Amino acid sequence: MQINVEFLALAQMAVSGGLMGMAYALVAYGFQLTHAAGKAVNFGQGELVMLGAFTGLSLSGCGLPYWAAVSGAMVVGAALGWFVERTAVRLALQQQNEGWVLLTIIVGLFGVSAAENIWGREDKPFPVPWPESSLDFFGISVTWQELVVAAGALGIMTLIELAKRYTMVGIAVQAVSADQDAAEVCGIRSRSAISLSWAVSGMAAAFAGTIIGPVTTVGPTMAAALTLKAFSVAVVAGLDSGFGLLLVGLALGATENISGFLLGSGWREAPGLIMLIVGLALRPQGLFGKKIIRKV
Amino acid sequence: MFAGVSLGLRENTVERILRTAIFIGLAALPALWQGQYAIGLLTLMAVYGVLLIGLDTTVGYLGQINLAQAALFALGAYGTALAIGAGASLPLALAAGIAAALLPGAALALPALRLEGPQFALSTLSFATLTIIVLNECESVTNGALGLSITRPSLFSIPLNATSFYWLCLALLFGVWEASKMLFKSRFGLAIEALRDSPTATDALGIGTLRHKVLAFAWGSALAGLAGGLHTMNFEYLQPAAFGYDLMVMLLLGVVFGGRRSQWGAFLGAAVIAMLPNLLSNRTLFSFLVSFGCILTVVRPIRALLSHRVPVFREAAPAIAMALAVTLVFFVPNVEEWRKGIFALFLFAVVVGLPNGIAGALTATLHRWIRFTPLPLKPAAGGINSSRKSEGIALRLFGLCKSFGGMRAVENVTLEIGQGETLGLIGPNGSGKTTLVNLISGLYTPDGGTIEIAGKRPASGSLMSAFSAGAARTFQNLQPFFGLTALESILVCQQEGGESEAMGWLLAVGLEGKARVRCSELSYGDLRFLEIARALATRPRILMLDEPAAGMSKPDIVRLIDLISSIKRAGIPILLIEHHQDVVAELCDRVAVMDGGRLIALGTPNQVRRDPKVIEAYLGADNIARENMEVLPC
Amino acid sequence: MLKAENLRAGYSGDDAVRGISIEIAEGSCVALVGANGAGKSTLVKALCGLIKPRGGRVLFGGENIVGLPASEIARRGISLCPEGRRLFAPLTVEENLLLGAYPRLPSFGPFRRAASGDLQHIFELFPRLEERRLQQAGSLSGGEQQMLALGRVLMARPRLMILDEPSMGLAPILVKEIFKTISSLRATGMTILLSEQFAKSALAVSDRAYIIEQGSVVLEGMSTSLAKNPAVIEAYLG
């Protein structure tokens, strides 16, 4: 009987960790979008998540209903994503140097400072319209909050994926990812397509902020660790791998929770990080990524 | 244009004089600027100097964003602290710190340096996060988040007060500076420079990409360990939280701010990041600095407007960022709260406006005003006639196959190149010629078949192994080392011999007059010749030339034919891919023709020219033309 | 229709195109003939805006188009079929074709309906493509890929069609096929600029031709007379 209880506790940990892991997958998906379009990612993506959460919080503080606040946050997130591309990434990529890594970090740093001054340094609760109770599945309890995170992340990713496949703009963005010059000669403005990818990526990040805000509470440092985790998910899955990152996100969330439970909360992140370094060393293109052919 | 004043001095001499003067000034500074606080700050600057010179080896010289330096710094600090706790002397404690950073650093470097760009940045970031977790959680050793306290040991039983410890740090910084400078001026440094431009070429020419990268990273880690040790002794207290992401970002920005690939840059960056937080606390000084910076940044956009053109992003963005910073400083009441944001704006302006940092901008100005005396060149020696004579079959391919996702690029190719033979390889575009060379040189792994170079079978898919067997090549799309001069490009490829021999190779290809010209400033034709010289300098047993005449002018082609015939006379076997028929006809003993990945003909140039299969594949099918003539009105 | 004057262009280092002037009349087929590395592709890329010319002018319909981004030039009616085909390998055959008509299609609306007429036309021309409509472009054979690349260009309803090395890497039988298609397109009155290393076939399908060597035009004239020119026969028709 004792073993059964242990097992149930672990399963509980894995399920709630995995559901939260979907939030990592969502932010990771944002990395994939921008990497596909222009081979760059935002090292300040966590800051966009945080700014999205704050915007959502302020808007619902103004009396807007939850869904309207979330939409508003997504619009602001999209604008910020576009801004990061325009200010920090485009020039550095034109000069073909790694300056964009620094510039995205710097823009993120400014974001944190701005948030500290606009909203204060304290963590704030995020009010939500769903109940605090939980549901029971075969002895494993799942809170409404966890369900919202998982469903929200899955839902928005599915929506973006559908838009990519079934609108002309989406197909054009895919074309730019595949071959920028060839897309240009088809009359596709590749710069706009890249900016659009960044905007969508920023929108996904802001959305992630509004769904995890209620869990983590909202503060300037809420997403400091999130960039690393989401980036781990994206890279381990492969920066061009589509839905492989859902699996990796699930796995990372579950591993974190279980190792926190077994080794102590300070060690939560360690196994994931070791997994990442080893995984990268063995398969640089990611678990689900395609092998790169060097051309000369 | 103003050409600058000639002082009759070498750049190296001027640099050394300047540096010595600054160090003497810094050593004398405690006499003027007294107090515990000032000395602490100066010591911190020296420590950061060592740390940033180390960080610059990866961020600057290797061109990879390294986010692990703060963690390596922490490991060095803890290593030293624990050694002191165990009663070690000062040199021993520093050695312990270096080892504590070097070993994990090297262990990280091996897997991480196979990666590029964001993947490398991420693996170093993970390492850094992991390190902080371990330092926090291994409480029995590190005392966890509470931190460790130590007392600074004495040096050979001389007690060190704050000032003498500062002098020690300064002396070590000077030593590290000199050592780094020598390291990056040596062949090792040239190799690092070269592999950043073309890792494919450095592997194909036997320079060894990964080995150099790992060693450079290890050097950077060792310096992080040394700096960590000094840091421990300076503060006499350690806490894991101090070595987190914030410090890392600060260090990275310090290197970029000061200027990458320069010890001066690292030093200036260190001065800035050590002093800046303290400068920021003085509001008047701070407002002055920000306003001054703003004035500097508006110069360029105004100049653009004056010449009636809209300033581009790179000119306008720094000014906008600084203007925003000025607004914050003068109009926001709680400016201290915004310090991080203003710092970010400042950095943004520098990274966008001064891509080469302060040191880069200063060097450029110096070169504008002063003309330095160049180093004298050594007389040429060696050259083509000193080449290795080949014996036996130079290259033997049997049943070689390679396909890319269903497309058969090379199919069942069997071929031999004999002693001293020149074999031409021709065929229409996309027929698989370059893929064949890529297979032989080890860039691609064959799907089937064998390769034998001068009697040896290299490991498949390894550039280095093919090189060791004696293969050397040039590239159809040039792979020059843009950061190096022509002479340095040869030096880095030579396994033996020095500058005289390198000059010999340049003389052989007619580039002796451009020895000190950077590859980025050489013409396309010159670069093609330089690639041949590079390959020759490795003393190959088989030389593969991939379309050497492509894009060359008529007189250059004549020179090229002369050069290849003299290589031929020296007895080096050559595999020559070429489209210019006159080049092929004049130089080749035999010609192989490829089409659709297969070898369709092999024989003397005259035999091949008459082969109907070749005429159809290579020169365009006759009957197509005739058929179309019927369709067309003309 | 298109007129390039003293155009210079190149990548790093020397100019690969050293002051070339060419002219293409409406409804004509003009060939650029020259060996590999002569500068044909660089010239074509400069015309389309894929690389920025270092000097000279390109007039298209009377307007200077130098300095415009490639997408803008494409929208004005110059459509390039690039060297090596450059299809969007992960996308389907149909999506590749639709992208050819991108500027004309609604961004979010029912784009398939808007393009159905054009698609039908392409499928009549290349029935093989209809069979493989939903296959990934990267999985097609070389000949099918070239047809798709031509189809993608035709979808744009171009005013000027530029074909850069359409025969590259194809088996002789397929090369024949491609040239047949080009001559039938020409018969419909399409304006075509053809850059080709197979001199004989190129001269056979074109009205006028420019012989290019080392970044300059060394000979120009009617294709029929060039095909009889002893210098051309010596150098290219061996």
Side-chain angles (χ1 to χ4, degrees):
Chain A
M1 218 42 222
Q2 184 59 34
I3 295 160
N4 207 357
V5 170
E6 275 282 284
F7 174 77
L8 210 60
L10 279 182
Q12 173 72 55
M13 288 286 154
V15 168
S16 44
L19 289 176
M20 292 307 291
M22 301 308 271
Y24 303 158
L26 175 56
V27 182
Y29 182 66
F31 283 134
Q32 242 182 34
L33 288 175
T34 58
H35 187 263
K39 301 281 165 283
V41 296
N42 183 3
F43 272 72
Q45 194 82 347
E47 279 71 32
L48 289 189
V49 172
M50 176 268 295
L51 291 171
F54 266 124
T55 311
L57 187 65
S58 290
L59 289 176
S60 60
C62 295
L64 284 179
Y66 179 78
W67 63 266
V70 170
S71 318
M74 285 165 75
V75 171
V76 171
L80 288 173
W82 175 85
F83 178 77
V84 173
E85 196 271 336
R86 193 63 199 81
T87 55
V89 182
R90 187 176 289 185
L91 177 83
L93 283 185
Q94 276 166 14
Q95 296 175 337
Q96 304 204 318
N97 61 28
E98 299 282 339
W100 58 268
V101 176
L102 294 173
L103 286 171
T104 55
I105 291 174
I106 292 170
V107 174
L109 195 66
F110 186 78
V112 171
S113 175
E116 279 174 356
N117 285 284
I118 297 171
W119 289 289
R121 287 168 200 264
E122 310 76 39
D123 288 347
K124 296 187 173 64
F126 198 121
V128 289
W130 49 82
E132 288 200 9
S133 59
S134 52
L135 304 169
D136 193 85
F137 295 100
F138 310 106
I140 295 170
S141 75
V142 176
T143 63
W144 278 101
Q145 174 61 49
E146 286 164 354
L147 277 181
V148 168
V149 170
L154 258 180
I156 196 104
M157 283 158 78
T158 314
L159 271 181
I160 297 172
E161 234 8 72
L162 288 176
K164 257 171 75 182
R165 283 176 203 184
Y166 297 102
T167 69
M168 208 55 224
V169 168
I171 296 173
V173 168
Q174 289 188 61
V176 171
S177 317
D179 189 331
Q180 200 166 323
D181 278 356
E184 278 275 330
V185 287
C186 288
I188 299 164
R189 300 186 174 111
S190 56
R191 282 184 172 192
S192 314
I194 293 173
S195 296
L196 178 67
S197 302
W198 279 79
V200 173
S201 167
M203 184 190 82
F207 180 75
T210 59
I211 57 173
I212 62 163
V215 188
T216 58
T217 68
V218 183
T221 56
M222 66 180 272
L226 196 64
T227 310
L228 174 60
K229 288 179 197 171
F231 202 3
S232 314
V233 171
V235 170
V236 169
L239 274 164
D240 57 354
S241 83
F243 276 76
L245 47 80
L246 282 177
L247 285 178
V248 181
L250 266 171
L252 181 67
T255 319
E256 269 187 16
N257 244 3
I258 292 176
S259 51
F261 175 68
L262 295 178
L263 306 171
S265 65
W267 290 103
R268 256 180 84 85
E269 287 159 11
L273 293 170
I274 293 171
M275 194 173 83
L276 171 71
I277 297 177
V278 174
L280 268 181
L282 297 179
R283 254 186 95 83
Q285 74 272 34
L287 289 179
F288 304 95
K290 291 188 208 88
K291 199 159 186 221
I292 308 144
I293 299 171
R294 277 209 269 181
K295 287 205 175 112
V296 292
Chain B
M1 215 181 97
F2 177 59
V5 188
S6 176
L7 291 181
L9 287 173
R10 287 185 195 145
E11 190 176 357
N12 213 356
T13 322
V14 174
E15 190 267 346
R16 196 160 282 161
I17 293 169
L18 254 175
R19 174 153 46 105
T20 314
I22 285 184
F23 269 81
I24 292 172
L26 280 175
L29 206 54
L32 302 172
W33 188 21
Q34 277 161 354
Q36 208 57 28
Y37 176 71
I39 299 228
L41 218 55
L42 288 171
T43 313
L44 185 66
M45 185 193 77
V47 171
Y48 277 168
V50 174
L51 184 59
L52 291 194
I53 287 178
L55 181 58
D56 195 32
T57 58
T58 33
V59 175
Y61 290 97
L62 288 182
Q64 299 286 340
I65 301 287
N66 170 11
L67 297 169
Q69 193 78 352
L72 295 167
F73 183 52
L75 287 171
Y78 272 88
T80 302
L82 294 174
I84 291 171
S89 66
L90 191 143
L92 203 61
L94 283 182
I98 293 174
L102 181 61
L103 298 177
L108 168 68
L110 262 175
L113 283 167
R114 288 174 197 276
L115 308 169
E116 293 278 311
Q119 276 90 342
F120 175 80
L122 179 68
S123 56
T124 53
L125 180 57
S126 319
F127 173 82
T129 316
L130 202 58
T131 305
I132 302 302
I133 292 176
V134 171
L135 290 179
N136 260 320
E137 298 303 316
C138 290
E139 287 177 2
S140 54
V141 185
T142 63
N143 205 22
L146 292 175
L148 275 180
S149 289
I150 57 129
T151 343
R152 185 189 304 151
S154 49
L155 180 62
F156 307 122
S157 67
I158 310 163
L160 291 172
N161 65 8
T163 314
S164 42
F165 182 70
Y166 164 61
W167 284 331
L168 174 69
C169 291
L170 210 55
L172 283 171
L173 172 62
F174 194 86
V176 162
W177 187 323
E178 193 63 37
S180 270
K181 200 180 150 198
M182 281 178 23
L183 186 66
F184 287 105
K185 279 251 150 58
S186 68
R187 183 171 181 267
F188 177 85
L190 295 182
I192 298 280
E193 195 82 26
L195 66 85
R196 207 179 48 244
D197 283 323
S198 173
T200 307
T202 47
D203 266 343
L205 294 165
I207 298 165
T209 304
L210 189 64
R211 179 166 50 110
H212 280 93
K213 278 174 150 182
V214 171
L215 283 175
F217 192 89
W219 172 246
S221 308
L223 293 188
L226 175 63
L230 295 173
H231 189 69
T232 307
M233 295 182 198
N234 186 22
F235 278 93
E236 305 190 310
Y237 175 66
L238 287 178
Q239 226 182 348
F243 300 100
Y245 189 65
D246 284 353
L247 177 68
M248 191 55 239
V249 171
M250 191 84 126
L251 296 179
L252 207 50
L253 296 170
V255 167
V256 174
F257 195 94
R260 278 177 271 194
R261 275 189 285 147
S262 144
Q263 284 79 39
W264 275 95
F267 172 71
L268 292 171
V272 169
I273 61 173
M275 303 296 170
L276 198 67
N278 304 287
L279 290 181
L280 291 186
S281 57
N282 180 337
R283 182 148 187 187
T284 331
L285 187 61
F286 182 48
S287 326
F288 169 75
L289 271 179
V290 172
S291 316
F292 182 66
C294 186
I295 291 168
L296 283 183
T297 52
V298 294
V299 172
R300 285 213 295 195
I302 288 180
R303 209 188 288 163
L305 286 174
L306 284 181
S307 55
H308 301 287
R309 123 187 119 71
V310 181
V312 295
F313 178 79
R314 196 151 71 89
E315 294 164 336
I320 295 170
M322 288 311 290
L324 205 56
V326 169
T327 318
L328 285 174
V329 169
F330 287 101
F331 298 102
V332 171
N334 56 338
V335 69
E336 279 72 28
E337 299 284 309
W338 276 94
R339 199 182 296 157
K340 213 188 261 176
I342 295 170
F343 187 51
L345 289 170
F346 220 81
L347 289 166
F348 183 86
V350 172
V351 174
V352 174
L354 292 178
N356 296 321
I358 304 174
L362 288 179
T363 317
T365 318
L366 207 63
H367 276 261
R368 210 172 308 139
W369 291 101
I370 301 175
R371 211 169 55 235
F372 295 106
T373 314
L375 283 170
L377 288 166
K378 291 202 176 133
I384 294 177
N385 291 326
S386 70
S387 299
R388 267 202 300 224
K389 292 275 178 293
S390 77
E391 280 149 32
I393 301 293
L395 178 74
R396 180 180 278 149
L397 308 177
F398 184 78
L400 211 56
C401 296
K402 177 73 184 175
S403 48
F404 296 107
M407 214 266 289
R408 291 200 185 128
V410 167
E411 210 179 338
N412 200 13
V413 169
T414 299
L415 195 63
E416 250 181 30
I417 297 182
Q419 186 172 352
E421 186 186 24
T422 298
L423 181 86
L425 184 59
I426 64 170
N429 256 340
S431 58
K433 304 181 301 288
T434 296
T435 308
L436 190 68
V437 171
N438 284 345
L439 285 169
I440 299 168
S441 61
L443 185 67
Y444 296 157
T445 313
D447 297 334
T450 56
I451 300 168
E452 220 178 273
I453 299 169
K456 282 186 220 155
R457 276 206 192 163
S460 62
S462 157
L463 286 162
M464 281 297 275
S465 171
F467 169 82
S468 314
R473 67 176 290 188
T474 64
F475 296 88
Q476 184 184 0
N477 297 318
L478 289 170
Q479 303 272 328
F481 304 140
F482 281 120
L484 301 185
T485 63
L487 181 64
E488 288 168 340
S489 302
I490 306 293
L491 278 172
V492 74
C493 294
Q494 281 179 333
Q495 302 289 317
E496 61 216 61
E499 206 179 294
S500 300
E501 283 72 19
M503 282 305 290
W505 294 116
L506 285 180
L507 185 68
V509 299
L511 286 175
E512 72 283 359
K514 297 178 179 166
R516 294 253 187 251
V517 180
R518 256 177 216 292
C519 290
S520 52
E521 282 146 33
L522 284 176
S523 75
Y524 183 79
D526 286 343
L527 287 175
R528 284 232 171 263
F529 281 106
L530 185 61
E531 281 214 350
I532 298 177
R534 241 171 35 178
L536 285 172
T538 65
R539 298 176 186 276
R541 291 179 198 280
I542 171 132
L543 177 64
M544 295 181 279
L545 303 175
D546 194 353
E547 301 207 19
M552 272 195 182
S553 60
K554 270 258 158 69
D556 276 351
I557 290 182
V558 175
R559 253 176 75 201
L560 179 73
I561 292 177
D562 280 350
L563 172 64
I564 298 179
S565 20
S566 65
I567 298 172
K568 226 180 124 167
R569 276 198 303 277
I572 302 175
I574 303 172
L575 175 63
L576 173 68
I577 298 184
E578 193 43 72
H579 277 286
H580 289 77
Q581 288 195 20
D582 35 349
V583 179
V584 174
E586 194 161 336
L587 294 170
C588 297
D589 303 314
R590 286 191 303 157
V591 177
V593 188
M594 282 184 83
D595 188 36
R598 286 170 207 260
L599 209 59
I600 58 166
L602 182 64
T604 64
N606 267 328
Q607 285 169 344
V608 165
R609 199 177 299 174
R610 287 192 210 100
D611 191 320
K613 268 193 290 182
V614 177
I615 294 170
E616 184 172 326
Y618 195 68
L619 302 170
D622 249 359
N623 50 347
I624 303 169
R626 230 171 278 129
E627 235 170 76
N628 279 319
M629 289 295 189
E630 289 158 19
V631 181
L632 306 176
C634 51
Chain C
M1 174 182 249
L2 182 116
K3 197 171 167 189
E5 292 169 358
N6 202 15
L7 202 63
R8 289 189 300 109
Y11 301 94
S12 57
D14 286 2
D15 289 349
V17 170
R18 302 174 179 140
I20 288 187
S21 300
I22 61 167
E23 213 170 318
I24 304 166
E26 180 120 37
S28 68
C29 176
V30 174
L32 302 173
V33 177
N36 215 306
K40 298 185 308 274
S41 275
T42 314
L43 170 61
V44 161
K45 283 184 182 162
L47 291 177
C48 297
L50 283 178
I51 53 176
K52 209 174 164 187
R54 293 184 182 154
R57 293 201 302 168
V58 180
L59 298 173
F60 182 60
E63 264 179 278
N64 190 3
I65 55 168
V66 163
L68 291 179
S71 51
E72 224 37 64
I73 292 177
R75 280 158 191 254
R76 291 181 182 214
I78 299 186
S79 222
L80 169 71
C81 179
E83 182 182 4
R85 304 184 274 278
R86 308 285 288 265
L87 297 172
F88 305 114
L91 301 181
T92 66
V93 168
E94 192 185 53
E95 284 167 337
N96 268 278
L97 288 174
L98 288 168
L99 283 164
Y102 179 77
R104 216 170 54 237
L105 298 180
S107 297
F108 294 97
F111 52 87
R112 276 200 178 76
R113 201 182 312 149
S116 63
D118 296 80
L119 272 181
Q120 213 46 55
H121 177 70
I122 302 294
F123 289 149
E124 274 162 25
L125 210 57
F126 305 113
R128 297 278 292 173
L129 294 183
E130 185 161 27
E131 290 166 31
R132 313 202 170 248
R133 216 168 114 171
L134 299 177
Q135 229 170 298
Q136 282 194 343
S139 69
L140 299 183
S141 73
E144 290 164 342
Q145 289 198 5
Q146 188 60 55
M147 287 175 198
L148 179 53
L150 279 174
R152 191 175 67 183
V153 169
L154 289 173
M155 282 294 284
R157 298 186 195 156
R159 291 170 62 200
L160 166 66
M161 184 169 168
I162 304 184
L163 305 176
D164 194 4
E165 303 276 355
S167 65
M168 182 173 144
L170 294 183
I173 179 87
L174 292 168
V175 175
K176 198 164 151 181
E177 201 69 30
I178 292 294
F179 275 101
K180 254 186 190 163
T181 314
I182 295 172
S183 59
S184 68
L185 282 173
R186 179 178 171 267
T188 65
M190 176 76 74
T191 315
I192 300 172
L193 176 64
L194 171 68
S195 147
E196 183 51 68
Q197 56 170 342
F198 287 161
K200 226 168 218 176
S201 318
L203 290 177
V205 296
S206 58
D207 304 304
R208 284 169 47 77
Y210 294 86
I211 311 282
I212 297 182
E213 266 175 35
Q214 271 135 57
S216 313
V217 173
V218 290
L219 269 176
E220 60 173 291
M222 300 305 288
S223 301
T224 40
S225 58
L226 281 177
K228 289 177 201 133
N229 185 321
V232 177
I233 292 173
E234 166 69 22
Y236 297 98
L237 306 173

